[in-house]
Amino acid sequence: MAKDRTQAQGLRELGGVDRVVHEPARLMILMILYGVREADALFLLNATELTWGNLSSHVSKLEEAGYVEVDKGFAGKKPRTMLRLTGAGRRAVDDYRATMQAALKKPGAR
Amino acid sequence: MAKDRTQAQGLRELGGVDRVVHEPARLMILMILYGVREADALFLLNATELTWGNLSSHVSKLEEAGYVEVDKGFAGKKPRTMLRLTGAGRRAVDDYRATMQAALKKPGAR
DNA sequence: CCAAGTACTTTGTATGGCAAAGTAAACGGG
DNA sequence: CCCGTTTACTTTGCCATACAAAGTACTTGG
């Protein structure tokens, strides 16, 4: 019963999960940036297999939420967009991971 | 590098994640049913803190997807809706858990 | 016998994801 | 040097769907 309470508690937190992070496309981006310090848009395009349109709009949303920093520069003559997680972004991912991992704990199978 | 490949592989699976399961409200319902054999609507209402409207529409969607069985009966004179995971529902949860847990593995922090 | 409560379902709205089209600059052939 | 192609994105538009609010049907208590 106490165990059920804990499980239920973890589940209820799902209701308030950060939707910005929860979206699969953005979670991919965030998890990649989490382990890599910085990456350019082309790398993310390949790693996520998103279209340019989706990548762009999701990055905009992440920027808007303050979770990633976007650094538009040039590599030689070509435009090059570098992306980096902010502190808030890193915290958001940590929170999300904690919430989801708690919620996905196997309940005493019966 | 080999490690990065594995990580990336796990992440890319996120793109095809089952949206029926991924929605927090429905994931709550599914995880509760996963460990409990059957539950009535009122119990789910309390456990999830959803409104009747939300609970009803999410349950409909889960039924439509073939993930839960809905058994409308009576307890005395009062209508009583009993819910149960189907085999497909259990498999969907297993798949989802595997995908998410792989994706949320901590990348070698740097 | 009717007002209030219980147990839902249906409808409406507004957000948001994805795709397709659009834009801007650089390269490359004629 | 011009013009089509490629690269690197951004913007627009449509459609799905999540959540809330209102509606429905039956039952119980006064």
Side-chain angles (χ1 to χ4, degrees):
Chain A
M1 199 47 135
K3 187 149 168 287
D4 284 353
R5 182 101 50 90
T6 325
Q7 172 72 6
Q9 203 67 40
L11 282 174
R12 234 179 275 109
E13 267 182 52
L14 276 175
V17 106
D18 187 341
R19 295 282 183 160
V20 174
V21 181
H22 189 59
E23 177 61 27
R26 285 190 296 259
L27 184 54
M28 282 192 265
I29 297 171
L30 290 171
M31 286 306 290
I32 290 166
L33 293 177
Y34 193 98
V36 120
R37 196 180 267 127
E38 59 176 9
D40 66 2
L42 190 57
F43 176 80
L44 287 175
L45 191 75
N46 293 327
T48 60
E49 295 179 331
L50 294 169
T51 61
W52 273 117
N54 282 342
L55 180 59
S56 174
S57 62
H58 286 304
V59 166
S60 294
K61 205 146 263 185
L62 288 170
E63 201 184 355
E64 203 178 309
Y67 293 169
V68 303
E69 266 173 18
V70 179
D71 187 358
K72 282 171 201 298
F74 285 84
K77 295 289 184 60
K78 300 190 167 183
R80 187 156 201 249
T81 305
M82 280 304 230
L83 299 162
R84 198 171 309 107
L85 259 198
T86 62
R90 184 161 289 266
R91 275 191 299 280
V93 171
D94 287 337
D95 283 0
Y96 180 79
R97 292 200 338 125
T99 302
M100 286 306 270
Q101 285 174 338
L104 293 176
K105 273 219 185 74
K106 197 152 202 157
R110 231 152 324 182
Chain B
M1 196 52 133
K3 187 146 167 291
D4 284 352
R5 182 102 50 91
T6 326
Q7 172 73 6
Q9 203 67 41
L11 282 175
R12 236 181 273 109
E13 269 183 52
L14 276 177
V17 105
D18 186 342
R19 295 283 184 159
V20 174
V21 182
H22 189 59
E23 177 62 28
R26 285 190 296 259
L27 184 55
M28 282 194 262
I29 296 170
L30 290 171
M31 287 305 290
I32 290 167
L33 293 179
Y34 193 99
V36 119
R37 198 180 265 124
E38 60 176 9
D40 66 3
L42 191 57
F43 176 80
L44 288 175
L45 190 75
N46 292 328
T48 60
E49 295 180 330
L50 294 168
T51 61
W52 273 116
N54 282 342
L55 180 59
S56 174
S57 63
H58 286 304
V59 166
S60 294
K61 205 146 262 184
L62 289 169
E63 203 184 353
E64 204 177 309
Y67 292 169
V68 303
E69 268 172 15
V70 179
D71 186 359
K72 281 171 201 298
F74 285 84
K77 294 289 186 58
K78 299 189 166 184
R80 187 154 200 250
T81 305
M82 279 305 230
L83 300 164
R84 199 173 309 108
L85 258 199
T86 63
R90 183 163 290 266
R91 276 191 300 280
V93 171
D94 287 337
D95 283 0
Y96 180 78
R97 291 200 338 126
T99 302
M100 286 307 269
Q101 284 175 340
L104 294 176
K105 275 218 184 73
K106 196 151 203 158
R110 230 153 325 186

